[in-house]
Amino acid sequence: MTADSYYSQSSRRVGWVDFAIAGLLAGLIYALVTVAHEWGSPLQQAPVIHLEASYLPGYALLSLSRGVMAYGISFLFTLLYGYAMARVAGAERVLLPALDILQSVPVLGFLPGFVLGLVHLFPHRNIGLEMASVLMIFTGQVWNMTFSFYASLKSVPPDLVAVARLARMSWWTRFFRLDLSFAATGLLWNSMMSMAGGWFFLMVSEAFVLGDRDFRLPGLGSYMSLAIERGDAKAQWMGVLTMLGMITLVDQLVWRPLVAWSHKFSDEPSTGVTHSWLWEWIRSSRIWQATAKIVLSVLARLRPSAANKKASVHSPTEEVRSIPRWRKPLVITLVGTGITLGVVKYISLLATLSVHDWLNLLGSTGMTFSRVLAAVALASLWTIPVGVMIGRHPVWSRIMQPVIQMAASFPAPMIFPVVVGGLLAVGTGLGTSSIVLLLLGTQWYILFNVIAGCAAIPHELWEVSRLSRFSWRHRWVRLILPAIFPSVLTGWITATGGAWNASIVAEYMKYRGNTLSTMGLGAVISQATERGDFHLLAAAVGMMAFTVVVFNRLVWRPLSRLAQTRFSLET
Amino acid sequence: MNPTAPILEIRHVHRSFPSPDGGTVEILQDINLEIHEHEIVAILGPSGCGKSTLLRTIIGLESPSSGQILYRGQIQSGLNPATALVFQNFALFPWMTVRENVAVGLPALGLSEVENKQRVHDVIQAVGLAGSEEAYPKELSGGMKQRVGLARALAVQPEILCMDEPFSALDVLTSEALRNEVVDLYTGKGSPVNTILMVTHSILEGVFMATRLVVMGAHPGTIRGVLENPLPYPRDEHHPDFLALAQKIHTLITQSMLPATPVLPGHEGTTAPLSVQSIPHVSLTAAIGLLEVLENEGSQELFQLAHHARMEPGQLILVVKVAELLGWITTTHGRVEMGAEGKAFLAADINTRKQRLNVTLRTIHPFDLVLEALKQSSNNEVSEADMLQVFARAFPQEKPARVLRTVVGWARYGQLFNYSSPRKMFQGIQPTGKQA
């Protein structure tokens, strides 16, 4: 089962590729040392951030390290939570709604808890603050990955499960070679989206005011915040370019090779495969081949044959691992007590708010709600026609896909000030401008999905529409719109979720020494955080989560059902 | 024929699932069977007769509701270590190479690394996969994929090789080739295959491969008969003995599925007793096609008819039952003959056909149930959920959703009542113009 013959087929060039990889490893070690140094240094609540260009690479490295660590945590969380949700009997009923609510809580909602708790835990070192920042990036990344993994686990083909059982695979083998392998493709695409989602709140995650304390961590996000606050246009440009460079680098060095590699997990014949220059080179380099060989042989040893033998032989219908019967009441009591306690605490926190506060909250919710809807509507207006145009032409999609992907992973809040500056100059207030900001952040999700949906329309249906001499209007109403509806819906759901979250940075910002704000739930959350008004913050975050969940239940869920039944392209 | 002790004994095995209305649907009923060393046993039967469930129960992938399975005299619980399974749709891991897929069951056997390699090498040679070891399944044709499935099963050197319709996902030529290869493996010297237990819906496939044939009937799944097949290998599909045996099995299936005194539904004007059986899951278009064949070829034996219609006899029987239920044809001792009603139907134009069908369908039990429910309702509407419950009570052996789908399909053709899928509602049709 070794890969000997496979690797000996590819040429064994020892050349600059190997040197490059060695160099990369050296760089990685340097980066680790730098990051460790930053983490271990004494707590500096708000270190001086320098706007000179020479500091940018270091800042980018620090931000990247936070993103990567957050991703690592997201990945572990996804494996644990997703697996439990799909495979532990009864867990789904609790964990699925919990995940639904968690993902609707805006990133800032987690901030005070993380920061205050962790800074208390490590009062003298930077590590607490760093961890809080990482955890906030994590909350921007994790949820869609978890959902994807869960959905994959639920759809593992029963025949493959039967094969795994007949082969008496151990739990580990089965997890790696069946569950994780089957989920790999979906997990990878969602990882790319998650990384982008994490960058979205980079500025907030690295520089925030909590009550009377101003927290800053050296990084690209805090650099951008400062540049925007000071109105330093040159620094802003440099920051944006560095961010773009970092995203491109990660895309070329990490995601492309991974996507190329992940084709082996897909069932479809590999036509039109994403090519990665890096993957081709790495695969043919000596260092890689040697490493792969070692890893494979180690993996081959990891085969406790004794444990294997008893695995799953005695339970003919073993499917889900269930909690032992006697423990069930215990688990339910514990979880129940925890939830009750949390709810009581939360309500007592809210009890201090006045009627006026509540009315204000309701009004703000209404404002943000309309902005979110307006942004999604506006985004649909341009992305649907453009997306259909791109999706119909495979050549265009191939060219545009990477461009759009880059645009989507760029954190829109970094260019908010520039846009707002322009709009204010024309005479629009922040109330209206923030719609444009929400649009900037979320339109890509719709565009992506429209392109994918349109590309999936069977060729024959286009031909029928031509043969039946559909008018332009008919073609849209009878063919395109119904066919792309399921994908557009997915785009809408993601976009509205993103827009709610983005309202926090769109409705309230520091710009050229001034504070701009407009009435809205996002502004309330930002202000409450800054003032350290945790009662108001708790109420506002709860309000947002509640609105999002209710909207999901009342609007998106019935529409999804419709999409799956009436508008499914499978007949 | 087999004086030795059996490897496997299946004793009084029952299998039932809970049905939506709280009752149970019986899939297997009192199955008794013995499998001996060095034989190929084919389990034959129409789709839905529980033959795959039986196979999976024998392997231990599913457990019986009651009854026992004995392996060499020992009551078996859990997976039977002496079996391996070849799947209908291959069930290969897309992310593993051919070699890795074949080796998937070996680690659990606890053999040495050298022996593992040797076994993989041997089976890959034996099934003709040499040269494709490093390919991924998606790069292979259907026939090659099933060779991988076969190699994977053989690699663990099972005492009993189980196959679940192993050739039915392949095209005719490929399945023909693989069938011969499996027989060659079985009859070859130093054969890696000792005993084969296979499930198939094809009589010819069963007669071609098996030394013993187990014929099953549906609703609930029971064994209707067991036949020895002493024909020597290699078998000739045109040999008179071969055809005679196939005919014998076919008669057995026909007798068990088509009772000698058919239940005729009432015709126009008459008030014949309602048929109380459910309806087979077959489209009306297929039944009309059957009439066309009968008109062209004249009255026929079911087996000949299957040949003319290019259908598996097991599947054709369902169509015949439908045509009989509608009063179009009659069957006596396996001979299918067009009746007067059938001739009249075929001669009519599309609208007259619909009218005739409208009248006939009213006398068939499931449709009568819907019409009755519609009559009882105040607004001439009945929900799908209510109807499913009615079906579940009336036809405890059937899947209610399946009955519903067939009923809706036929009723639409006969314009008996409407069904709206988004609203999940049955709606009555107000009779317009002349009515029966």
Side-chain angles (χ1 to χ4, degrees), chain A residues 165 177 181 263-264 266 268, chain B residues 56 78-79 81 94-95 138:
Chain A
R165 288 179 53 202
R177 302 233 71 176
S181 297
H263 281 295
K264 83 177 225 175
S266 104
E268 275 125 47
Chain B
R56 280 161 182 266
L79 293 173
W95 44 86
K138 60 190 155 198

Side-chain angles (χ1 to χ4, degrees), chain B residues 143-208:
Chain B
M144 291 303 261
K145 279 182 191 165
Q146 195 55 302
R147 283 194 172 91
V148 181
L150 188 60
R152 176 174 64 192
L154 291 177
V156 300
Q157 299 186 352
E159 280 180 80
I160 309 159
L161 175 68
C162 299
M163 303 198 281
D164 187 0
E165 306 235 9
F167 313 116
S168 61
L170 305 170
D171 62 80
V172 181
L173 293 176
T174 310
S175 58
E176 184 74 34
L178 277 184
R179 223 174 277 144
N180 275 294
E181 285 176 30
V182 171
V183 170
D184 288 348
L185 275 176
Y186 172 76
T187 54
K189 261 206 178 123
S191 151
V193 192
N194 187 23
T195 307
I196 297 179
L197 177 59
M198 66 183 290
V199 157
T200 176
H201 64 263
S202 157
I203 295 175
L204 293 177
E205 183 173 297
V207 176
F208 184 77

Side-chain angles (χ1 to χ4, degrees), chain A residues 268-323:
Chain A
E268 275 125 47
S270 39
T271 45
V273 165
T274 318
H275 285 287
S276 163
W277 52 270
L278 187 66
W279 175 234
E280 300 297 328
W281 283 350
I282 288 180
R283 213 164 53 169
S284 60
S285 80
R286 270 211 164 162
I287 291 184
W288 170 258
Q289 286 171 16
T291 322
K293 228 170 157 179
I294 293 167
V295 170
L296 277 179
S297 67
V298 167
L299 278 180
R301 298 271 151 70
L302 282 178
R303 217 187 269 149
S305 47
N308 268 331
K309 267 187 192 153
K310 56 181 183 180
S312 77
V313 173
H314 289 293
S315 49
T317 45
E318 163 259 359
E319 197 33 68
V320 283
R321 325 182 125 239
S322 67
I323 304 165

